[in-house]
Amino acid sequence: MTKGNNITGGGILEQSEHKLEASLHARHVAMIAIGGIIGAGLFVGSSTSIVQIGPAVVVSYGLAGLVILMIMRMLSEMAMLHPGAGSFTELIRMALGPLAGFVSGWLYWYFWVIVVAIEAIAGAVILELWLPFEVWQIGSVLLAIMTVVNLFSARSYGEFEFWLSTAKVIAILGFIAIAGLWAFGVTSPDGNTFANLTAHGGFAPKGWGAVIGGVTSVIFALCGAEIATVAAAESHAPAKTIARMTGSVALRILLFYVVSLILIVAVQPWNTVVAGESPFASSLGLMGIPFAATIMNAVVLVAVLSCLNSGLYVTSRALFGLARHGDAPQSLIRLNKRKVPARATLIASLFGYGAMAASILSPQGVFSFLVSASGALMLIIYLMVCLAQVRMRKKVEATAPETLTLRMWLFPGLSYATIAAIVVVLVAMAFVPDLRPQAIASAATVAIVTTAWAILRRPRLKGKP
């Protein structure tokens, strides 16, 4: 940094040469929000939830969706109060202080770095069906391509993500139309098939305990909508964009998850779904749609590439934000001529390659731990968002209530209810055998990052205003 930088609360204020360019339009941010919650977790991962819960899986997704909706509403309120803040981690820093900003920023960066590696591998596994190369070779090329896309400009990322997300939306709408006609008996030779919702052990064959417990796993499939708050910092109207976006989050969750899953368990008996295989593909196959498996592999590939693209983008911006406040090396705030934090992007890519290498050299050891260590991080970050909103809202109500142009519904009741819901899910993870390793490893990650703050940052901030 050049001389003359302003320091406030331990954070370095961005100068014009270190200011990201507002090159994204509302359509980009809107589709980024949609793309953030439509991934392989819906197209493939939902099969495991159906097997574990039954048709009532739609209730689990609905409950998890409500939690995400509340979080996005809280983010909207805070963004409208501080329209120039940028990423949601900046809002956490404003409300809870530099420690919370440090921890949330690094946890978010780490979560998405692991996602980058996972999605690159997932995309490579699909392409291996059609290409004569090894998974690691294909994965390396995919990661390199997406790195180049992100190095061009925020606009190139936004445009690429816009079309990938559009393809996902078209695929889901197409499935809903085809499955809807079948379920209502228009194309089915046996008439209405909604009897499948209760004909095989009832609507909740595994009990309502499984339905509530299922929220602990399905909620992770719905994470990602907050990416739009990061991208909105590079749009023409960040606060307004975020505020408009959250109003339709509930509709997207209802349409893309709940409606799709209702139709899946209506088209085919839930006990015929195979965990790990796309229930969309099996439903299309049952309805006699030709090349169903190939079609869904192509759709899942698009979803994976979209997530990989977003992962690289959001990790670079998270690292850039940390560097602005002195929580990461200052060299990372440098932008290239396209106003992109190129160094932060390349570091994200480098760590992605490292995680991919771990998946090949030590899949059950190092890589397994890395994945587990990121398992509960988004919930912890969301919890910090809730706490930040409560603190900021109380302060604003006491000092300048007229600035509250967009409000969290039924405050403080719904805010506290959301906090309680997240805490319950986190505690429940410790008691679910399949999720316990993630809970423990994620707790260790939080402890490591907090310790890093105490050693590296806290001493430097002592005595500063």
Side-chain angles (χ1 to χ4, degrees):
M1 295 287 290
T2 57
K3 292 182 179 180
N5 286 333
N6 294 318
I7 306 290
T8 304
I12 300 177
L13 299 178
E14 62 182 6
Q15 295 180 325
S16 59
E17 67 266 28
H18 298 135
K19 187 175 182 179
L20 298 171
E21 185 177 13
S23 58
L24 295 176
H25 296 291
R27 67 182 179 90
H28 293 130
V29 178
M31 293 307 289
I32 287 168
I34 292 174
I37 56 177
I38 304 175
L42 170 61
F43 294 116
V44 180
S46 56
S47 62
T48 301
S49 299
I50 293 173
V51 171
Q52 294 175 342
I53 300 170
V57 67
V58 296
V59 178
S60 298
Y61 274 96
L63 292 173
L66 285 175
V67 174
I68 300 300
L69 174 61
M70 296 303 105
I71 292 166
M72 295 307 297
R73 183 70 179 186
M74 293 184 211
L75 284 174
S76 294
E77 178 186 286
M78 291 190 289
M80 290 297 283
L81 288 170
H82 300 281
S87 171
F88 74 96
T89 55
E90 296 298 308
L91 297 170
I92 293 175
R93 184 184 294 272
M94 288 180 178
L96 303 180
L99 170 59
F102 182 95
V103 172
S104 63
W106 278 111
L107 292 184
Y108 197 58
W109 177 84
Y110 176 74
F111 175 85
W112 280 103
V113 162
I114 299 303
V115 169
V116 163
I118 293 173
E119 298 300 331
I121 294 168
V125 169
I126 296 173
L127 287 173
E128 190 186 26
L129 298 173
W130 306 317
L131 300 175
F133 300 104
E134 298 291 333
V135 168
W136 69 269
Q137 294 172 320
I138 301 173
S140 298
V141 172
L142 288 179
L143 185 51
I145 292 173
M146 292 305 171
T147 300
V148 171
V149 168
N150 276 270
L151 286 174
F152 274 121
S153 66
R155 178 67 179 270
S156 66
Y157 155 73
E159 201 65 35
F160 203 79
E161 186 61 24
F162 175 83
W163 291 110
L164 288 176
S165 294
T166 299
K168 290 189 288 187
V169 170
I170 291 173
I172 291 179
L173 293 178
F175 175 83
I176 289 174
I178 294 170
L181 290 172
W182 183 277
F184 281 100
V186 177
T187 56
S188 170
D190 300 321
N192 188 304
T193 63
F194 281 104
N196 281 327
L197 293 175
T198 57
H200 305 279
F203 184 64
K206 300 298 182 70
W208 286 99
V211 175
I212 303 302
V215 175
T216 60
S217 55
V218 304
I219 195 169
F220 296 104
L222 299 172
C223 294
E226 80 291 332
I227 294 176
T229 69
V230 179
E234 294 179 74
S235 73
H236 296 291
K240 293 181 180 179
T241 301
I242 295 173
R244 280 199 304 268
M245 174 196 67
T246 56
S248 59
V249 166
L251 178 61
R252 289 197 295 271
I253 292 172
L254 176 65
L255 180 63
F256 298 141
Y257 277 84
V258 177
V259 174
S260 296
L261 290 172
I262 285 177
L263 291 174
I264 286 172
V265 293
V267 166
Q268 63 175 320
W270 71 271
N271 52 8
T272 64
V273 174
V274 178
E277 297 182 7
S278 173
F280 288 79
S282 58
S283 293
L284 291 173
L286 185 148
M287 291 183 286
I289 304 300
F291 308 109
T294 301
I295 292 172
M296 287 313 304
N297 276 332
V299 171
V300 173
L301 178 60
V302 169
V304 163
L305 292 178
S306 171
C307 197
L308 175 56
N309 186 40
S310 292
L312 278 171
Y313 172 82
V314 79
T315 50
S316 66
R317 270 47 178 190
L319 198 54
F320 172 79
L322 287 165
R324 282 178 51 216
H325 291 279
D327 293 339
Q330 291 298 285
S331 60
L332 298 178
I333 64 174
R334 294 187 180 277
L335 306 178
N336 62 17
K337 62 182 180 180
R338 301 182 184 89
K339 294 295 183 179
V340 170
R343 296 181 181 181
T345 301
L346 290 173
I347 285 181
S349 180
L350 181 63
F351 273 83
Y353 277 113
M356 281 181 58
S359 73
I360 298 169
L361 301 176
S362 182
Q364 302 302 320
V366 176
F367 187 69
S368 178
F369 174 79
L370 291 176
V371 173
S372 294
S374 68
L377 295 188
M378 277 312 304
L379 281 182
I380 294 170
I381 293 169
Y382 284 163
L383 180 61
M384 297 175 75
V385 168
C386 297
L387 296 173
Q389 185 268 335
V390 170
R391 185 170 185 179
M392 188 179 291
R393 174 68 174 267
K394 288 184 175 181
K395 182 177 180 180
V396 170
E397 285 185 339
T399 57
E402 69 280 359
T403 61
L404 281 166
T405 56
L406 188 149
R407 299 168 182 263
M408 173 60 183
W409 302 301
L410 300 177
F411 181 84
L414 274 183
S415 294
Y416 287 129
T418 305
I419 291 172
I422 295 175
V423 171
V424 167
V425 172
L426 288 171
V427 172
M429 288 182 67
F431 293 93
V432 177
D434 291 342
L435 299 178
R436 188 178 299 124
Q438 295 182 26
I440 296 173
S442 295
T445 304
V446 174
I448 291 171
V449 173
T450 304
T451 301
W453 155 265
I455 296 174
L456 301 176
R457 292 295 295 149
R458 186 178 180 183
R460 299 182 186 182
L461 294 179
K462 285 184 176 180
K464 292 183 178 180

